[in-house]
Amino acid sequence: MNQPKSLQSGTRIDHYEITETLWTTNSGFTYLARDLDRERDVLVQEYLPAMLAARHWSGIHAMPLDGLAEEFDQGLTRFLREARILAQINDPYVCRVYEYTEANATAYLVMDHEPGQTLKDHLAERGAPLDEGEIRKMLVPLLKGLKVAHAAELLHRDIHPANIYLRDVGPPVLIGFGSPVFTVREDGDPHIEKLVAPGYSPVEQYQSDGELGPWSDLYALGATMYRCLAGVAPVDAAHRVTDIAQDKEDPLVPATELGVSDYSSGLLGAIDWMMEPMASDRPASASAVLGPLTTERPAAQPKPPADRHAPGGGRNPNTVPGGHTEPGRSPVQPAENAPAQDRPTAPARRAPPPAPLSVPKAAPADRSHRRSGRRIGTGLGWPALLVAAGVSMLAFFVFYEPGPTQSVSVSDVPPGMEVSAVDPDEADPPPELPDQVNFGREKDDERAEEYRDLEQRTGEIERMLAAARLNMDAGRLISPAGDNALANYRAILALEPEQTDARLGIGEIQTELVNAAETAFEDNEDVDGALRLLDQAGEIREESSRGQALRRDIERHLAEKERQERLARLAEEHREEARRQAEQARLEEIRELLEQAEAALNTGRLTQPPGDNALAFYQRALRLAPDQPEARQGIEQIGERFLARASDAIAANDLDRADGLLSTAAAILPSDETIARLRERLDARRVVAEQRERVERRRLAALETPNEATDAAPAAPAAVESPDAGETRRLEDGVAAYYAGDYDIAYRLLNPLAENGQPRARFRVAMMYYHGRGVNQDVNLAETFIREALPAIRERVEQGAAWAQADLASLYADGIVVAENDKEAVRLYTLAAEQGYAGAQTNLGVMYANGEGVFRNRDNAIQWFRRAAEQGDRIAQKNLQALGVE
């Protein structure tokens, strides 16, 4: 089906600028627009029915479809006529139109915009039936609005939840006036099908010659109220009339049964009355419903003869202006608020038959369509009424013989059958049937055969419809081959191309396939499955607008997915290029470090000055490439030089210098056996040196005090360095090496102390194992060391040791062994930093810079980085550079 596009946002129509498309109706589009002259929002309704016109490629002008220009103009004339009428109505219950205009080869009407939503949207949000108070607050104002519109010769023709607007302030109003009507060309060919809203449109809107009137709008309004209390749309009127005509039970559960426990009988009775399947049984006007709305509907009363006129005859005095005959109205109408028993009787049919019909020899049939019990007809017979949506109704005579005291009322006759309300006691004898309708007469075999063929075809269609319904209920929409609902409906259309149920059924199958495609795409992200379902729906008949929209969504999704994949590939290529460049830069940096190390080695800068010596260059190269052979050989060469110097110092009896050189060599080459041998030589030299010193002291003492007693007195023992002094020095040197990044030296100095249980050394060695600094990473071993050292560290924290406070803070910051706690880390770092501990000052600056445990504060971060940098902390210096601070 053609589906024109709405106007784009920003389009100007005179002094109105379109801002948003709100609704699509049978007659066109409704927009939210801005009145540029009055600086306010308005609603603009555009006449552009999809059945008659399309949007020109320019995106603005309307363009009638091929061969439909006359019909489009007729609809446009009606649209403008109704716009003029609406512009003259100033009633709170009818949408207010204050301007209309012709532009862009079509027409527009401008309405007040008030905050609110459609009843359709309200029901969707509510998700449950409305209570009686809510329904009455809608029904009464809408009936009053219809009363005003009908009095102004306006029929709505398209009432359903989407065309009822619930204002935030004020009563609800009807919108969507101006729907196209059925058009017949001069050759009698019905060129355009009348638009219907399944479930809401009355049966006369399905007929090419159906008489529309206020009763038609009342059916649609009743169906809308039924939707509010039932939670679902009512059964389609065409289905209802078809089943009733076949002596089946009305498939619609009456409101009086459905809501008997939750709603008043007056409201339920009014809804059922408005939803009578046959127009002749409905109220003739909105006033007729407004009066008895709060009372129970009375029992059915005998219907008096109606004042009827044959087509082309005189005008019924009880008519709606504009020529619509108001069915069933007595010459004298009761007051609008008359009691229920004075309510107008069900209307007589509006097109009387040529003469009353009575046929002998046929038992009276039960034609009631009330839900007095579950009763299904015995099948389609000659009196059955076949109803097809969009096609003229077919009606056949009913063989019906009233008893001697019976009268045949209109409600007892199947739809499509016309009788006169006459007293059977006073009626003339039934006339002789004309020859042309009496089967069995001469030359009537052909007509009898046609009847039998029709009856046989009708029965076959009914059987196939039943099979189709079973397949639909079982989910066999299009498979298995030959036994599915689509095959059933297509077989029906092969017999009866305009069969309504089959055409609607095929539409329902297509809708179900589109629904399944939406579920596959939106809920399960099954794009292939959704496209397959859409293709199947499109093979049934022209793809629906929903299907087209879903296909566009899928295409956009696929395009976006392809774009994302392309971006991901580009990102991966960029990452790979970045990795390649980083590797190239790493190799280049290693090469430069090796060259710098060799230059420092050649100039004797083995370990000094800090950061600019051969050992530092080789260690940095090993951090970039742990297996770099040149760097390892260079470090071994440096260690051997220190061992050679230590050996020379021992030989020269420069024992203190030899001790320092051996300590440095041990840090560089901890496993070298030469160190132990030289250490033994050094110790032996110390013993000899101490002996010589004692002898020398005694000699000097003897010279100063030439006394035998004094000479005989033993020399006082020389003062010796505390055994803890060397350990403390190695601990401090190891920690300094750790923070300088010289992890190999740090490990060699600290690991022996750690093995002896020194808590600070044990913690540092643990952190080296945890991060893989100078040793192979071993998290489990690291956590074991930390747990063993933690009690002693906590004790030293309580004693105020800055190093212990900083170490415990780092555990809290990283969540190692203890639970991560940035606030506790900040507290401990602060305690250590205030004592001047450079490492704590640097880490506290990081916490402030990142907002970890404290509010982000760049000034505080810079302050702590500067204090640490003043102590020579290189990390703090780099952090200041990263912050752009000189």
Side-chain angles (χ1 to χ4, degrees):
M1 178 181 176
N2 167 63
Q3 182 58 54
K5 296 180 180 179
S6 59
L7 293 173
Q8 295 295 314
S9 177
T11 302
R12 292 280 295 272
I13 304 169
D14 196 7
H15 58 277
Y16 301 104
E17 182 175 291
I18 302 299
T19 58
E20 182 183 355
T21 301
L22 297 180
W23 308 296
T24 301
T25 65
N26 289 337
S27 61
F29 300 97
T30 300
Y31 306 97
L32 179 64
R34 187 67 177 173
D35 185 339
L36 302 178
D37 288 350
R38 300 176 179 84
E39 290 295 323
R40 63 171 180 169
D41 289 334
V42 296
L43 295 180
V44 174
Q45 183 175 338
E46 178 186 36
Y47 174 75
L48 191 66
M51 63 189 292
L52 298 176
R55 183 78 67 189
H56 189 261
W57 61 265
S58 64
I60 297 178
H61 293 82
M63 182 174 64
L65 297 176
D66 291 345
L68 296 178
E70 180 180 352
E71 288 81 356
F72 178 82
D73 291 341
Q74 290 175 357
L76 181 61
T77 300
R78 177 181 291 273
F79 182 84
L80 288 169
R81 171 184 172 273
E82 295 190 358
R84 285 193 295 272
I85 295 174
L86 289 170
Q88 297 171 22
I89 296 176
N90 186 10
D91 189 89
Y93 306 119
V94 179
C95 59
R96 178 77 170 103
V97 173
Y98 64 83
E99 187 173 351
Y100 57 92
T101 183
E102 291 186 71
N104 304 327
T106 184
Y108 304 87
L109 60 83
V110 184
M111 299 173 284
D112 288 328
H113 172 254
E114 300 179 69
Q117 64 179 158
T118 65
L119 175 57
K120 177 183 177 182
D121 292 339
H122 177 65
L123 292 173
E125 291 178 3
R126 181 71 169 269
L130 307 184
D131 58 36
E132 177 158 346
E134 293 174 295
I135 294 176
R136 285 181 176 270
K137 286 181 180 179
M138 288 188 295
L139 179 55
V140 172
L142 292 173
L143 284 169
K144 293 179 179 179
L146 279 180
K147 178 180 176 183
V148 172
H150 292 164
E153 303 184 20
L154 282 180
L155 289 178
H156 191 286
R157 302 185 300 275
D158 194 25
I159 297 176
H160 51 80
N163 275 337
I164 293 177
Y165 191 71
L166 306 178
R167 296 183 288 195
D168 290 346
V169 178
V173 294
L174 284 169
I175 59 177
F177 282 89
S179 297
V181 295
F182 193 93
T183 311
V184 180
R185 289 192 168 177
E186 293 180 359
D187 56 6
D189 178 30
H191 191 76
I192 305 166
E193 290 186 358
K194 186 182 305 180
L195 294 179
V196 296
Y200 300 99
S201 297
V203 69
E204 57 265 27
Q205 281 190 233
Y206 287 87
Q207 305 168 19
S208 61
D209 58 349
E211 183 182 3
L212 302 183
W215 49 87
S216 306
D217 283 347
L218 290 175
Y219 182 96
L221 180 58
T224 302
M225 296 302 105
Y226 186 98
R227 163 67 180 86
C228 294
L229 65 87
V232 294
V235 178
D236 193 72
H239 286 266
R240 296 180 64 194
V241 174
T242 299
D243 284 358
I244 293 169
Q246 296 170 0
D247 286 345
K248 294 181 180 179
E249 177 186 349
D250 186 345
L252 178 73
V253 180
T256 49
E257 292 184 18
L258 186 68
V260 65
S261 60
D262 300 312
Y263 302 90
S264 68
S265 59
L267 175 64
L268 299 176
I271 292 174
D272 280 346
W273 190 21
M274 288 189 286
M275 288 189 68
E276 286 289 351
M278 304 309 296
S280 58
D281 294 333
R282 292 183 222 132
S285 66
S287 298
V289 183
L290 281 168
L293 183 58
T294 57
T295 63
E296 294 289 343
R297 184 179 180 186
Q301 300 294 328
K303 301 178 177 63
D307 181 14
R308 299 181 295 177
H309 296 268
R315 183 177 175 89
N316 192 324
N318 301 304
T319 59
V320 176
H324 297 294
T325 302
E326 192 171 358
R329 298 292 296 269
S330 301
V332 179
Q333 294 294 332
E336 178 176 330
N337 297 318
Q341 62 268 23
D342 295 332
R343 195 181 65 196
T345 59
R349 305 195 62 79
R350 283 173 290 283
L357 180 65
S358 177
V359 181
K361 301 180 181 180
D366 179 9
R367 302 298 182 188
S368 172
H369 56 269
R370 308 292 182 191
R371 293 179 63 93
S372 57
R374 304 291 294 181
R375 185 179 62 80
I376 302 297
T378 57
L380 285 177
W382 180 246
L385 174 65
L386 305 179
V387 179
V391 183
S392 298
M393 287 187 166
L394 302 177
F396 299 93
F397 292 129
V398 179
F399 296 98
Y400 202 98
E401 182 180 18
T405 61
Q406 288 180 311
S407 63
V408 182
S409 70
V410 174
S411 62
D412 293 327
V413 179
M417 186 67 195
E418 301 291 350
V419 300
S420 296
V422 297
D423 188 340
D425 293 333
E426 300 178 0
D428 295 330
E432 187 75 16
L433 286 176
D435 293 344
Q436 62 268 27
V437 298
N438 280 323
F439 298 149
R441 295 204 177 196
E442 189 177 358
K443 299 181 180 179
D444 208 36
D445 291 341
E446 183 178 349
R447 182 173 285 103
E449 185 63 28
E450 290 177 359
Y451 157 69
R452 284 190 290 272
D453 290 343
L454 177 60
E455 187 174 41
Q456 182 179 2
R457 185 166 68 252
T458 302
E460 181 64 22
I461 289 174
E462 183 64 22
R463 286 190 293 273
M464 286 189 288
L465 282 174
R469 284 192 289 269
L470 288 175
N471 281 329
M472 289 288 288
D473 293 341
R476 296 187 292 270
L477 304 182
I478 59 175
S479 63
D483 184 21
N484 57 73
L486 179 60
N488 297 143
Y489 287 134
R490 283 178 170 171
I492 293 170
L493 293 179
L495 293 176
E496 184 66 53
E498 300 298 328
Q499 212 286 331
T500 302
D501 287 338
R503 295 174 65 188
L504 293 176
I506 289 176
E508 184 178 354
I509 291 173
Q510 187 183 49
T511 299
E512 288 297 328
L513 290 174
V514 174
N515 291 342
E518 285 181 345
T519 301
F521 173 58
E522 297 174 359
D523 297 347
N524 303 325
E525 298 182 356
D526 182 5
V527 173
D528 292 338
L531 287 174
R532 184 170 58 255
L533 289 166
L534 284 179
D535 290 341
Q536 292 170 345
E539 291 171 359
I540 294 175
R541 64 184 187 185
E542 183 180 358
E543 193 166 55
S544 65
S545 58
R546 283 183 58 229
Q548 293 172 353
L550 179 58
R551 189 179 294 277
R552 288 193 295 272
D553 289 344
I554 293 175
E555 290 172 353
R556 285 193 291 268
H557 169 78
L558 291 175
E560 177 62 19
K561 182 179 179 181
E562 182 180 356
R563 188 181 73 85
Q564 293 293 342
E565 290 174 351
R566 184 172 65 256
L567 291 176
R569 288 194 300 271
L570 291 175
E572 181 59 29
E573 291 174 0
H574 291 162
R575 286 193 294 270
E576 184 60 30
E577 177 62 19
R579 285 193 292 268
R580 188 190 65 78
Q581 293 179 359
E583 178 63 15
Q584 184 176 355
R586 185 180 72 90
L587 295 176
E588 180 63 23
E589 185 178 358
I590 291 173
R591 186 187 62 79
E592 292 178 357
L593 288 171
L594 292 176
E595 291 177 354
Q596 291 173 326
E598 185 177 0
L601 193 64
N602 294 333
T603 57
R605 291 179 288 116
L606 303 183
T607 60
Q608 294 294 331
D612 185 22
N613 58 74
L615 180 62
F617 292 138
Y618 283 134
Q619 288 175 337
R620 286 164 60 187
L622 284 179
R623 285 197 292 272
L624 294 174
D627 296 328
Q628 219 291 325
E630 294 181 28
R632 290 193 175 279
Q633 293 173 2
I635 290 175
E636 291 177 0
Q637 186 178 359
I638 293 172
E640 290 171 355
R641 289 196 181 188
F642 274 98
L643 289 175
R645 292 178 182 179
S647 178
D648 293 342
I650 292 172
N653 213 32
D654 190 352
L655 304 183
D656 289 339
R657 180 170 178 270
D659 183 66
L661 291 170
L662 282 176
S663 296
T664 303
I668 297 172
L669 302 174
S671 59
D672 195 305
E673 296 177 356
T674 305
I675 296 174
R677 292 196 302 270
L678 291 177
R679 180 68 67 183
E680 291 175 357
R681 288 175 55 192
L682 176 62
D683 292 342
R685 287 297 184 99
R686 286 187 183 280
V687 171
V688 172
E690 289 174 358
Q691 291 175 349
R692 289 177 178 176
E693 185 177 354
R694 285 197 296 272
V695 171
E696 182 65 17
R697 282 199 301 271
R698 284 197 298 271
R699 187 182 66 79
L700 293 175
L703 292 174
E704 294 174 359
T705 310
N707 186 295
E708 293 183 359
T710 303
D711 292 339
V720 298
E721 184 179 14
S722 170
D724 293 338
E727 177 180 311
T728 301
R729 182 166 57 83
R730 286 193 296 274
L731 177 63
E732 295 298 333
D733 289 345
V735 172
Y738 177 90
Y739 282 113
D742 298 331
Y743 298 117
D744 288 343
I745 295 177
Y747 182 79
R748 291 165 189 162
L749 291 174
L750 295 176
N751 190 52
L753 301 176
E755 291 178 349
N756 290 334
Q758 212 288 334
R760 189 177 182 187
R762 199 167 186 80
F763 179 85
R764 266 312 126 206
V765 171
M767 296 306 290
M768 294 172 73
Y769 275 112
Y770 191 89
H771 295 290
R773 295 170 177 168
V775 295
N776 293 329
Q777 188 176 28
D778 190 334
V779 174
N780 293 332
L781 180 61
E783 292 182 348
T784 299
F785 282 3
I786 292 171
R787 290 190 179 93
E788 292 174 351
L790 192 57
I793 293 174
R794 290 187 184 277
E795 182 178 351
R796 298 303 303 274
V797 167
E798 294 298 327
Q799 295 173 2
W803 67 265
Q805 294 165 345
D807 288 349
L808 184 57
S810 67
L811 294 180
Y812 278 113
D814 296 332
I816 302 174
V817 175
V818 299
E820 184 176 346
N821 189 331
D822 287 342
K823 290 186 178 180
E824 182 63 12
V826 169
R827 184 184 74 83
L828 292 169
Y829 277 141
T830 302
L831 292 175
E834 290 174 348
Q835 296 186 59
Y837 195 76
Q841 293 169 345
T842 298
N843 290 339
L844 186 58
V846 172
M847 301 292 276
Y848 273 109
N850 295 333
E852 298 172 347
V854 293
F855 289 111
R856 189 188 303 271
N857 191 317
R858 186 174 183 274
D859 292 339
N860 284 356
I862 292 173
Q863 171 191 346
W864 288 114
F865 285 148
R866 278 178 170 164
R867 292 177 64 175
E870 289 171 357
Q871 300 186 59
D873 191 290
R874 290 185 298 167
I875 297 177
Q877 294 168 357
K878 291 182 179 179
N879 288 340
L880 287 172
Q881 292 174 1
L883 292 173
V885 178
E886 295 296 333

